[in-house]
Amino acid sequence: MSTQILFEHPLNEKMRTWLRIEFLIQQLQSSLPINESADALHFFRNMGDLLDVFERGEIRTDILKELERQQRKLLTWSEVPGVDMQRIDSLRSQLKERGSVLMSAPRLGQTLREDRLIALVRQRLSIPGGCCSFDLPTLHIWLHLPQAQRDEQVSFWLASLQPLKQSLDLLLDIIRNSAPFRKQTSLNGFYQDNGDDADLLRLQLDLAWQLYPQISGHKSRFAIRFLPLDSERGIIPERLDFELACC
């Protein structure tokens, strides 16, 4: 049985930022519950990276604009004969509700930036081995608190990200499902096409080939070059079938 690997590639800066935020929030949740220093360092490192991402660009503004844009797109869909109006109305009300919650939420990352423990750990992360117990006695004692107390604090931190996470989850779900996968064929490991103002490329490839795509381009035009995982002995087939969705 073949295993399909899904690769995603953003075609603009906005989508690149959103995929990074999604990835970092997933990483935060993957280190829970925090019951030893390795979990804690994984958690705080990803939290620091997330705060760094928040400091670049107008993330909240871009998401609010996209929530409105998707509502307008759904409005045009509602004029198509035979469309599922119940589904469209449900999505539009979800988009509107997420937008209201995000608009009234505090500044992105404000709760996290003001937290003393997060700030202390973040300062030491850039120093090799800088989170030893003698460097960070605050973290050391925090790791010895009752598990329930730590869990409560982590839940409070993650709850502050919920308005952003819920809006982003809905948007990315709509974008990912906006285009079907279609079979394409690359010749000698190369494929190019027009992006048609897409935000995201999604590519499915059979693991058996042990190839990965190197994608370049933007929303109007893109190129894909397939490269072998084993750069010395790997083989690139003359014709390679893969599935592609331009979302």
Side-chain angles (χ1 to χ4, degrees):
M1 187 178 167
S2 67
T3 301
Q4 296 290 311
I5 306 293
L6 174 66
F7 296 90
E8 291 189 325
H9 187 84
L11 292 173
N12 53 50
E13 194 57 40
K14 170 187 75 179
M15 181 56 70
R16 185 172 286 112
T17 299
W18 293 352
L19 290 179
R20 283 179 177 150
I21 291 171
E22 179 191 48
F23 171 75
L24 287 167
I25 292 175
Q26 286 169 351
Q27 291 296 302
L28 285 175
Q29 292 170 324
S30 75
S31 42
L32 302 181
I34 297 173
N35 48 33
E36 56 181 47
S37 60
D39 301 327
L41 292 180
H42 181 73
F43 180 87
F44 286 112
R45 192 175 298 282
N46 284 294
M47 185 69 82
D49 287 350
L50 190 61
L51 290 173
D52 287 344
V53 173
F54 286 167
E55 279 155 22
R56 301 176 205 148
E58 294 295 317
I59 294 165
R60 191 202 323 232
T61 307
D62 285 342
I63 291 175
L64 288 168
K65 281 181 188 169
E66 186 66 20
L67 288 165
E68 284 181 20
R69 185 174 82 95
Q70 291 294 342
Q71 284 181 67
R72 289 195 299 273
K73 274 176 79 174
L74 287 168
L75 203 55
T76 60
W77 272 102
S78 64
E79 294 160 15
V80 176
V83 77
D84 184 348
M85 279 307 298
Q86 199 174 348
R87 174 80 175 134
I88 281 185
D89 289 342
S90 167
L91 279 172
R92 285 190 68 213
S93 68
Q94 283 182 64
L95 287 162
K96 194 171 181 180
E97 186 260 335
R98 303 280 163 92
S100 301
V101 171
L102 183 61
M103 199 179 286
S104 58
R107 182 173 164 237
L108 283 187
Q110 191 63 32
T111 303
L112 306 172
R113 271 188 213 92
E114 289 172 354
D115 189 275
R116 182 169 172 268
L117 180 60
I118 292 174
L120 283 170
V121 179
R122 204 176 164 199
Q123 282 171 8
R124 308 294 307 180
L125 281 169
S126 58
I127 302 164
C131 295
C132 287
S133 60
F134 61 84
D135 278 313
L136 264 180
T138 323
L139 177 62
H140 189 60
I141 192 170
W142 187 76
L143 285 166
H144 283 80
L145 293 176
Q147 185 69 48
Q149 196 175 335
R150 267 199 313 281
D151 290 347
E152 188 181 345
Q153 190 160 15
V154 169
S155 295
F156 172 71
W157 291 334
L158 293 179
S160 72
L161 296 171
Q162 280 305 299
L164 167 72
K165 183 184 183 300
Q166 289 173 349
S167 293
L168 202 51
D169 284 350
L170 179 60
L171 280 180
L172 290 175
D173 188 51
I174 290 172
I175 290 167
R176 283 174 172 133
N177 288 294
S178 67
F181 281 101
R182 290 194 170 92
K183 185 181 165 188
Q184 308 292 353
T185 305
S186 78
L187 299 174
N188 297 313
F190 185 74
Y191 177 87
Q192 62 179 357
D193 201 357
N194 295 322
D196 298 325
D197 281 342
D199 290 304
L200 178 69
L201 286 185
R202 308 186 81 217
L203 189 154
Q204 287 193 144
L205 190 59
D206 196 322
L207 175 62
W209 289 111
Q210 295 206 20
L211 298 171
Y212 63 91
Q214 195 175 69
I215 303 171
S216 58
H218 44 77
K219 62 182 182 178
S220 56
R221 190 150 187 82
F222 63 88
I224 305 171
R225 191 171 292 283
F226 292 95
L227 300 169
L229 186 59
D230 184 339
S231 57
E232 289 178 14
R233 292 184 297 275
I235 296 165
I236 300 169
E238 193 177 322
R239 294 176 68 83
L240 173 71
D241 292 338
F242 63 97
E243 301 266 322
L244 184 69
C246 296
C247 306

